[in-house]
Amino acid sequence: MAELSAYKSLPEPQLLFNSGQTDIHPLRGLISHGPYSLELGFPTQIRTAFMAPAGGPLKLRKLVAELNGTHSPIEAKNYYPNYPGFQKIFKVPIQSAPNNLMFELPTECNILAQNRDGLGLIEQIIHVIGRVSLSRSSFDILLLYLPHEWQICFKYEGFDLHDRLKAKFAILNIPVQIVNDLSLNRGCRANVMWGLSVAIYAKSGGIPWKLAELDKDEAYIGLSYAIKKIGDKSDYTTCCSQVFDPDGTGFKFVAYDTKDFHTDGKGNPFLNYQEMQTVLSRSLLIYQNEHNGRMPKKIFIHKTSHFTEDEIQGAFDAFGEKSEVELVQIIRHSNWLGIKIDGPDSGKPAGAAAFPLERGIYLPISENECLLWTQGSVPGVNVDKPNQPVFKEAALKPLPDPILIRRFSGAGGWHATCSSILALTKVDWNNNTLYKTLPVTIGYSKNFADVVKQTNEIVNEVYDYRFFM
């Protein structure tokens, strides 16, 4: 047995809402305080447009009516509060689409979907998107219904309907909320309403919440790679997810086609010095354009594969000496598990605790490696039994497993590195849960890479992440 360092525990990151109020529970915070952007004065209303096959617009109208209603949770009552209605939560109304903003897809779409002709289906939908774009100033978000009958055409080798549509809408500056039959038919309506309402508000330009406690002079970049096959050759596009603000409000994406790279035995691409410097220089330029030319004092760069010597040097030279650069590999799965043991109490021997170990525990296992539990028990968020913690993965597995953090540059202890990663698991506005296992620097950049795999049209342009939620 090797002797390990003592573990440390991080507090659950605080979220910031309207008027500077904070809470660690995102949904409870919205109810109690209102969204962060309320005091900023936007948005003042949410105007919807609908796109669907025949009969679908009426289903979307019913869904918007549900968003304006109240619902009690059936599932995960320890986490989900009662849903009080969209306007009571966000303090702005959501409007159902008027008749002139209800766009019906042609009947040919049904036949093409049943025949698994994804490209033909996309072509038919694009014709309707063209009509939608003419009315862009009249709505804030498009609700697109994809029926269960099209499921055979949702995804197959070389084609993903969801990602192709996201790319088309992004080019036209149209935020879209895709709705399927699961959203319409799921039994726990409170769960559905919470998820849809937060996503719709964010995609319409609102900021539900942001992080309260990270250093304003730091910035975060997530790197992911889209691997595209062209004949017998491979073309790699590097995707950069930019988190301009450490509080999670300034995500921008840019994709850059790389030509000089090599791969490891698992097919992971690694850039040469010049390519890495180019990718990160573009990222820095986007940051500076948003911050009046200011350089961040510290840059965290996250990706799921290791950093080569060429990549390390390219990263340092992209930012120069004025910014501290920390290069971090984040590995989702490791061979480690942690069990919480309660100490002797009233003469009883020590034994396994009633709940798993807490989220936010980190344990250094070498000079450059650390385990971080981004899953685990969270106290102070149980809306049903306040004295009990919530372990949201309990239904899937009894023990939370940690992510492995491997640092290739950066000085000092692990506190700042782990704190920032833990916080960035709480700013994915495309879900209604307390946290995600991975930070948005990894999750969002992967989502963007998946879209880039489907099309070359969005390469080299800068996009707001809301188009790919």
Side-chain angles (χ1 to χ4, degrees), residues 192-214:
V192 174
M193 294 303 110
W194 274 117
L196 284 175
S197 63
V198 172
I200 287 173
Y201 182 79
K203 292 177 183 182
S204 300
I207 304 171
W209 59 81
K210 68 175 187 177
L211 297 170
E213 298 172 338
L214 292 187

Side-chain angles (χ1 to χ4, degrees), residues 322-399:
K322 293 184 178 180
S323 297
E324 180 184 351
V325 178
E326 184 162 307
L327 304 175
V328 178
Q329 179 187 8
I330 298 177
I331 302 171
R332 170 60 188 92
H333 295 288
S334 69
N335 294 323
W336 292 80
L337 287 173
I339 299 175
K340 183 179 181 182
I341 303 295
D342 282 341
D345 184 24
S346 302
K348 295 181 180 179
F355 286 88
L357 76 169
E358 287 76 16
R359 169 175 139 88
I361 285 176
Y362 67 92
L363 176 66
I365 57 175
S366 73
E367 182 179 355
N368 298 315
E369 292 182 323
C370 184
L371 300 174
L372 170 63
W373 273 263
T374 57
Q375 300 178 354
S377 298
V378 182
V381 295
N382 195 320
V383 297
D384 187 39
K385 298 178 180 179
N387 293 326
Q388 288 187 4
V390 170
F391 174 41
K392 76 181 186 72
E393 288 83 13
L396 300 176
K397 54 187 175 183
L399 294 176

